[in-house]
Amino acid sequence: MPTVRHRIVLRFAPEVTGEPVICKVTKDYDLDFNILRAEIGPDKEGRMVLDLIGKEESYRAAAKYLRDRKISVHPLDDGIHLDLERCVHCGACVGVCRAEALTLCRETMRVQLDASKCEACGECDPACPVNAIELALELGR
Amino acid sequence: MAKTLQEINEKIRTGRVVVVTAEEMVKVVAEQGAKGAAAAIDVVTTGTFGLMCSSGMMMNLGHSKPRIKVGGGVVRLNRVPAYTGLAAADIYLGATAIPDEDPRNEDRPGEFRYGGGHVIEELVAGKRVLLEAAAYGTDCYPRKHLRTYITLAEVNEAYLFNPRNAYQNYNVAVNRSDRTIYTYMGTLQANLGSGCYSSAGQLSPLFNDPYYRSTGIGTRVFLGGGIGYVAWQGTQHSPAVARAGNGIPLGGAGTLALIGDLKGMSPRYLRGASLRGYGASLMVGVGTALPVLDEEVAAQTGVSDADIPAPVVDYGRAYPHREPEVLAHVTYAQLKTGRIELDGKTIPVAPLSSYPLAVEIASTLKEWVQAGRFELTGPVALLPGADSGMVARPMPGGPSVRSRVRA
């Protein structure tokens, strides 16, 4: 079975942030992980963006394990949408996107989005002067 | 051989005019030289689309029954306050006006999701807008309150009157401080983490007419998707700044005050804008059509991004404290690669001004000229020029002892 990569957003209810869930995911499900972003504190709702790398079957089992613990799991690809009808290609979003998911095509100087690179930092939406970027609710701040 | 404006307009009328955009003209001049280009090309069109805060709308509301004198009273359009210090039914709505209830920068950085620029965009899009007015009442204007909806089609006059548009060159904003800052040049990351510039470069109107030979009072222009005119020099017009050998000013210089009928404009080229932590504004599309009268005009309109330097300024300290420091000059060709070098650091830079829409505006204007829909007008009077000695001055008087801004 080939190795797959899933970039996902996890949301933790305050009561589960004490559990070592990521450790369990790697150990028990044999998945590699790369944390892109984490906002987790004691007694607070937490949010984490990470890549999980491994077998598809293992990923599914791990996702079920997380969901069973009331942790929401969302693929990040669905998380960001650029409305090209509204976008004026001013590039304000490009200036704040450290992940280089939003870039300017140097040929045409048009904004382009590679959602698979998005790290869900949430900076682009408020930086857009014409409200052309929509972040899914679980990514918004 | 020199051409006259009349000859060029005659070519427009008879469908023989040869028009290129300022971007296309770069190649024409590179290939054929200024002399060849002057012979081959009649008109060069320019375009720019970006944030132009000094913009707004003059509107006559018509008279209610019974009459209300909003002059000296209060008017709000979709909750955004308009200026009422005029006659009974005239108002001016500025692009940066925001509702009283907007939290502004209380929880920094504020979002500024709706302001005067958005009202203007909605009116031009044909949407109805809530008009609320309060007045003190007089014998001839007895009414004191009013609440109704208006549309652009229903009001008498509505025209853009923008005191300052189309800046000839502008700063490249960077941030040397150790915190992220939220400016009218966008969000700037700390420690030279990012930069923003704001000009269409080689397509920008006044880079192609550096000494304002064909862009003066009365010149017809593309404004917000419709027709406008140069009304005056723009505020802070600074023609007498230092210039490069090709006439290009090394920093902000000439500006234009523009006027035009809002009823003929399009929401595609007038867009309400929100600048996080700074305020609301309006993105405006402007374009000019320059007659290629002679070799000099051909050479000037052939200017390319590589020939246009822009000053790099620290918005972390120098700009807010009005210090004159310029960190470096970089060309628009460098800026358009998306990266500049400063202090041995590579800084990613974003445009803020939309190059694709600038191209679109120049191309649209080119089509209008080719189709005979847009004839050229020379200036009725020239703007103050490079030899006028005119440079924008700082505010009179020394720093206030009660200034509460900490250095």
Side-chain angles (χ1 to χ4, degrees):
Chain A
M1 222 177 159
T3 297
V4 293
R5 190 194 76 160
H6 287 273
R7 181 162 290 185
I8 54 174
V9 184
L10 306 183
R11 262 173 103 99
F12 302 80
E15 56 272 22
V16 292
T17 45
E19 257 184 65
V21 286
I22 301 304
C23 187
K24 293 279 268 183
V25 162
T26 37
K27 272 192 182 162
D28 299 359
Y29 299 93
D30 192 26
L31 291 168
D32 287 336
F33 69 95
N34 183 21
I35 297 177
L36 301 165
R37 195 174 178 82
E39 290 157 20
I40 297 175
D43 306 322
K44 253 183 23 185
E45 186 183 77
R47 202 177 70 119
M48 184 183 281
V49 181
L50 77 167
D51 283 336
L52 286 179
I53 305 132
K55 294 195 176 82
E56 178 65 26
E57 208 176 59
S58 311
Y59 166 74
R60 284 194 197 164
K64 183 178 181 304
Y65 160 79
L66 292 166
R67 288 193 178 110
D68 285 348
R69 266 144 202 82
K70 304 273 182 267
I71 296 165
S72 80
V73 181
H74 286 277
L76 189 57
D77 287 8
D78 309 340
I80 178 169
H81 178 68
L82 174 64
D83 182 348
L84 285 170
E85 287 293 306
R86 283 205 65 77
C87 176
V88 295
H89 308 283
C90 72
C93 57
V94 173
V96 298
C97 182
R98 291 167 196 247
E100 297 190 358
L102 287 155
T103 53
L104 273 188
C105 166
R106 293 293 145 191
E107 286 284 297
T108 61
M109 298 298 282
R110 291 171 69 88
V111 173
Q112 50 195 11
L113 168 67
D114 181 349
S116 70
K117 288 188 179 167
C118 174
E119 294 176 2
C121 68
E123 287 290 331
C124 55
D125 177 17
C128 174
V130 295
N131 205 12
I133 297 174
E134 273 179 62
L135 296 177
L137 200 59
E138 60 270 20
L139 305 187
R141 301 209 270 189
Chain B
M1 198 188 73
K3 284 173 266 191
T4 66
L5 191 66
Q6 289 69 28
E7 284 164 354
I8 293 172
N9 275 333
E10 187 53 32
K11 283 186 172 184
I12 294 175
R13 273 175 229 132
T14 53
R16 292 177 298 126
V17 70
V18 181
V19 193
V20 294
T21 68
E23 187 183 59
E24 293 162 341
M25 189 64 169
V26 176
K27 210 182 272 176
V28 176
V29 172
E31 284 170 8
Q32 305 182 24
K35 196 173 176 188
I41 307 296
D42 300 313
V43 178
V44 172
T45 58
T46 70
T48 186
F49 181 88
L51 292 154
M52 303 195 197
C53 287
S54 248
S55 298
M57 170 190 74
M58 198 69 80
M59 181 182 267
N60 179 277
L61 300 166
H63 288 270
S64 61
K65 184 179 161 86
R67 293 178 193 268
I68 185 168
K69 174 187 182 292
V70 303
V74 175
V75 165
R76 293 198 165 77
L77 293 174
N78 279 357
R79 306 297 301 153
V80 179
Y83 178 74
T84 61
L86 299 163
D90 288 337
I91 59 166
Y92 183 82
L93 179 70
T96 67
I98 45 177
D100 295 341
E101 57 272 25
D102 187 290
R104 293 162 164 79
N105 258 346
E106 266 168 37
D107 184 12
R108 202 174 284 259
E111 292 194 351
F112 303 98
R113 282 293 180 192
Y114 198 85
H118 298 88
V119 178
I120 292 170
E121 178 188 336
E122 292 203 51
L123 280 166
V124 175
K127 292 186 185 161
R128 50 178 220 159
V129 162
L130 176 65
L131 164 68
E132 293 167 293
Y136 49 80
T138 72
D139 288 339
C140 46
Y141 290 88
R143 191 162 178 168
K144 291 185 176 173
H145 294 279
L146 184 142
R147 191 174 186 277
T148 187
Y149 285 91
I150 58 165
T151 64
L152 185 59
E154 292 163 335
V155 297
N156 288 320
E157 288 79 18
Y159 51 90
L160 276 192
F161 180 42
N162 302 346
R164 181 170 68 251
N165 283 173
Y167 234 120
Q168 187 180 24
N169 217 347
Y170 211 79
N171 293 340
V172 180
V174 295
N175 174 18
R176 272 177 139 174
S177 79
D178 57 7
R179 63 179 183 100
T180 300
I181 57 171
Y182 303 91
T183 75
Y184 71 91
M185 294 292 283
T187 300
L188 301 169
Q189 312 281 2
N191 303 313
L192 299 177
S194 69
C196 279
Y197 62 99
S198 185
S199 169
Q202 63 194 10
L203 265 174
S204 185
L206 292 180
F207 279 146
N208 287 280
D209 188 10
Y211 294 109
Y212 329 116
R213 187 173 161 192
S214 292
T215 314
I217 294 165
T219 300
R220 182 178 293 139
V221 301
F222 174 109
L223 179 60
I227 302 291
Y229 295 87
V230 177
W232 202 252
Q233 74 254 26
T235 52
Q236 295 175 27
H237 184 63
S238 295
V241 298
R243 289 173 187 255
N246 57 4
I248 296 293
L250 300 178
T255 67
L256 302 175
L258 299 178
I259 193 162
D261 190 355
L262 200 64
K263 294 192 183 190
M265 295 188 194
S266 151
R268 182 161 181 81
Y269 303 108
L270 286 176
R271 298 287 294 274
S274 307
L275 283 159
R276 189 185 189 194
Y278 181 74
S281 188
L282 183 67
M283 286 178 151
V284 183
V286 176
T288 57
L290 301 167
V292 184
L293 301 167
D294 53 29
E295 246 178 270
E296 185 189 63
V297 177
Q300 288 168 345
T301 52
V303 73
S304 83
D305 286 331
D307 308 321
I308 310 174
V312 183
V313 173
D314 176 23
Y315 277 58
R317 177 165 178 96
Y319 185 87
H321 295 283
R322 216 194 69 207
E323 286 159 10
E325 185 186 21
V326 170
L327 301 173
H329 277 89
V330 293
T331 69
Y332 283 92
Q334 286 170 292
L335 290 164
K336 280 186 187 163
T337 66
R339 284 180 165 70
I340 58 168
E341 305 285 328
L342 192 72
D343 295 354
K345 234 184 136 168
T346 302
I347 308 171
V349 287
L352 285 190
S353 166
S354 169
Y355 197 76
L357 275 159
V359 171
E360 194 177 296
I361 288 164
S363 304
T364 302
L365 196 44
K366 175 180 160 178
E367 283 165 27
W368 288 0
V369 175
Q370 285 170 332
R373 282 180 56 198
F374 190 100
E375 285 188 22
L376 311 193
T377 51
V380 175
L382 295 174
L383 302 180
D387 55 1
S388 65
M390 183 187 279
V391 173
R393 284 174 296 216
M395 189 180 283
S400 162
V401 289
R402 276 183 290 182
S403 167
R404 275 185 278 168
V405 178
R406 276 171 293 146

